[in-house]
Amino acid sequence: MSLSVLSVASEVYPLIKTGGLADVVGALPAALKPHDVEVQTLVPGYPRVLGALTDRRQLHAFEDFFGGTARLVAGKGEGIDILALDAPHLYDRPGNPYVGLDGKDWPDNAERFAALSFVAAEIGRGTVPGLAPSVIHAHDWQTGLVPAYLHYGGVSGARPRTVITIHNIAFQGQFAAAAFPKLRLPQAAFSLDGVEYYGGVGFLKAGLHFADAITTVSPSYAVEIKTVEGGMGLDGLIRSRSDRLTGIVNGIDTDVWNPATDSYLGANFSSRTLVRRAANKAAIEERFGLEQSDGPLFCLVSRLTLQKGVDLIINALPNLLARGARFAILGSGDAPLEAALKTAAKSNPGKVGVVLGYDEVLAHMLQGGADAILVPSRFEPCGLTQLYGLRYGCVPVVSRVGGLADTLIDANDAAIAAKVATGIQFHANSVAALEDAVARAMALFREPAVWSQIQRRGMAADNSWHRPAGAYAALFRSLVAEG
């Protein structure tokens, strides 16, 4: 029997993207189709989203809606069934979904994403004719109020089951108590057993409290967030609901990320034609102003934050450069880290190249030409760049946390002998540990037969959405069966 799911998120690839959340939300609908699960994806009506929709039609109108009027429109966006909340007073503004051009959070983010959650709950209540999802799948704090609105709003008859996925528990959607009166929740909701969180409003806390099921994006991360260190203040709540918690590792869209057909690459290749990667490597060297060399080229494609361990790379650079490593770095984030990387590039011409910003084409090129990708995160719910690296023969060098621990096999002597190694892992989040891991990578690179074996094994790994989508489908059906 076909199952109807409403997926609710603040971004969806390729219509609007700031990070891996969009990739997951964009890929899951197609991955769930073979499991007889039909997904419609509700997102804010940002101008880029509305402009991309075809066959657009209005389904419902909302008056006096969080400070203005709004419409729910449906259409197709790059093959995805999209429901867009067209509320210009909330979403028609410059900047990215969360911050303005000045880099600061929009001051009305509580209302902006409460509105998204409110509409999802209205759909769940049957307010919009023709829409009756069996399950609502909410993603991250921006949709954390969906289960709360359903709980407090009252639903005649059976209500949809709810799932909330934690993509990164560091982002919790915490707002001052002054935001509460604007959320259209009853006063009783402002309590410990409601949406109140340390005297304010906690969007993610609300979702974790009221959802019928909680998932996160890797099994190891599901364990880590139950600890004081990993739970970031929510560990107690998560432990209390651990019977409702599941870790499902992310997959990747293997059509979008396919080195044999990727139009963003200068030279396409497969595991049988790894030699063709050399042309992409040469293109990276030119683009990043790096000297040509037969030695290893390491890349970083990341938000430039302490979570991602970017400071570890900066501090390790002198020793790593002295050993002959070169670096191509793409990303944006914290201003001090951006400045330090620009200084490193200026001080080490030909050895360190930095491009600040987000560039999808360049991200593909780096995966298709660099020898290894660094992911030294202090914590990592799942990570996607290491999965892209595996797919593209760009050997991941990662810290052993979260999804990074779950998605590759360390190239220790036993794994190399058994021909199962797919990358390099290190335990401690320290400069010395990173330096040792990179040194190991460089030593393995000097053994071409071993290095190509690691590349090919990684490229052969199944990191598609096939198994994760099956796990989501089974979870959705089990919740519906519970009634």
Side-chain angles (χ1 to χ4, degrees):
M1 182 181 69
S2 180
L3 191 68
S4 173
V5 172
L6 176 67
S7 176
V8 193
S10 57
E11 52 187 88
V12 55
Y13 178 84
L15 305 184
I16 185 78
K17 172 180 174 177
T18 68
L21 166 65
D23 290 322
V24 174
V25 175
L28 258 180
L32 285 165
K33 276 187 179 295
H35 300 277
D36 207 16
V37 176
E38 296 296 327
V39 179
Q40 290 180 295
T41 303
L42 172 64
V43 292
Y46 311 115
R48 285 171 56 186
V49 170
L50 296 173
L53 292 187
T54 58
D55 302 323
R56 192 165 78 183
R57 62 196 185 281
Q58 179 175 318
L59 300 182
H60 199 74
F62 299 91
E63 302 295 331
D64 186 26
F65 184 77
F66 290 84
T69 60
R71 303 181 306 146
L72 180 67
V73 298
K76 282 279 189 180
E78 299 292 337
I80 304 172
D81 289 322
I82 294 291
L83 300 174
L85 177 57
D86 182 12
H89 63 291
L90 298 174
Y91 308 123
D92 186 4
R93 54 184 74 174
N96 80 15
Y98 318 113
V99 303
L101 296 177
D102 59 0
K104 297 180 180 179
D105 288 352
W106 295 112
D108 60 345
N109 271 348
E111 298 100 293
R112 295 174 74 232
F113 295 109
L116 180 67
S117 295
F118 184 88
V119 168
E122 286 294 292
I123 293 171
R125 293 187 186 105
T127 300
V128 182
L131 297 181
S134 298
V135 176
I136 298 181
H137 186 187
H139 295 269
D140 262 352
W141 73 263
Q142 294 90 347
T143 59
L145 291 187
V146 174
Y149 281 126
L150 285 170
H151 175 82
Y152 289 107
V155 181
S156 59
R159 71 164 178 83
R161 308 296 279 171
T162 56
V163 178
I164 187 164
T165 294
I166 307 167
H167 293 266
N168 190 336
I169 204 167
F171 303 105
Q172 300 184 2
Q174 297 181 32
F175 298 95
F180 179 78
K182 306 173 185 178
L183 303 184
R184 300 191 173 189
L185 285 165
Q187 187 60 40
F190 194 71
S191 66
L192 181 62
D193 291 328
V195 304
E196 186 272 334
Y197 187 55
Y198 290 105
V201 177
F203 277 45
L204 183 59
K205 181 260 186 176
L208 298 178
H209 181 74
F210 289 111
D212 296 308
I214 303 165
T215 71
T216 192
V217 288
S218 72
S220 288
Y221 195 58
V223 173
E224 292 169 1
I225 61 174
K226 289 189 286 186
T227 69
V228 173
E229 296 79 13
M232 299 189 177
L234 290 169
D235 54 287
L237 173 57
I238 293 169
R239 286 194 300 274
S240 74
R241 305 211 65 209
S242 59
D243 62 325
R244 288 288 170 172
L245 173 64
T246 306
I248 302 175
V249 71
N250 280 339
I252 61 174
D253 189 323
T254 52
D255 291 327
V256 173
W257 291 91
N258 183 351
T261 60
D262 192 336
S263 61
Y264 293 152
L265 299 183
N268 293 114
F269 62 92
S270 69
S271 60
R272 295 178 178 270
T273 57
L274 286 171
V275 67
R276 295 180 183 173
R277 297 183 87 256
N280 298 324
K281 186 174 183 177
I284 294 170
E285 290 168 340
E286 181 178 357
R287 175 67 178 84
F288 283 81
L290 301 174
E291 59 190 24
Q292 293 188 346
S293 168
D294 293 330
L297 172 59
F298 294 85
C299 74
L300 174 74
V301 182
S302 177
R303 286 186 292 111
L304 304 179
T305 64
L306 295 178
Q307 179 215 325
K308 297 294 185 178
V310 177
D311 58 312
L312 302 179
I313 295 175
I314 293 168
N315 291 326
L317 274 176
N319 284 339
L320 299 179
L321 293 173
R323 295 180 181 186
R326 294 170 302 144
F327 297 88
I329 296 170
L330 170 66
S332 62
D334 297 345
L337 296 176
E338 289 186 353
L341 287 171
K342 288 196 293 185
T343 298
K346 185 176 181 180
S347 302
N348 299 279
K351 298 182 183 299
V352 179
V354 176
V355 173
L356 296 179
Y358 170 74
D359 188 320
E360 187 77 11
V361 175
L362 199 51
H364 282 245
M365 182 61 77
L366 286 167
Q367 297 281 16
D371 298 300
I373 182 165
L374 298 177
V375 194
S377 304
R378 287 181 164 85
F379 66 92
E380 193 61 66
C382 178
L384 292 176
T385 55
Q386 86 279 8
L387 300 182
Y388 302 145
L390 292 170
R391 178 80 164 149
Y392 279 56
C394 185
V395 176
V397 180
V398 308
S399 51
R400 196 187 297 270
V401 294
L404 303 178
D406 293 338
T407 54
L408 59 93
I409 299 171
D410 180 62
N412 56 49
D413 288 345
I416 292 172
K419 299 183 178 180
V420 296
T422 58
I424 294 167
Q425 295 178 331
F426 58 97
H427 283 288
N429 288 305
S430 69
V431 173
L434 174 60
E435 290 177 352
D436 288 344
V438 172
R440 273 210 294 150
M442 296 180 73
L444 291 169
F445 184 81
R446 291 192 290 269
E447 299 183 57
V450 174
W451 189 259
S452 62
Q453 172 190 303
I454 295 171
Q455 289 178 294
R456 291 190 174 96
R457 184 63 187 175
M459 295 178 76
D462 181 7
N463 290 309
S464 72
W465 274 105
H466 176 69
R467 284 182 297 170
Y472 275 113
L475 174 63
F476 295 156
R477 293 189 189 282
S478 70
L479 291 174
V480 172
E482 286 179 359

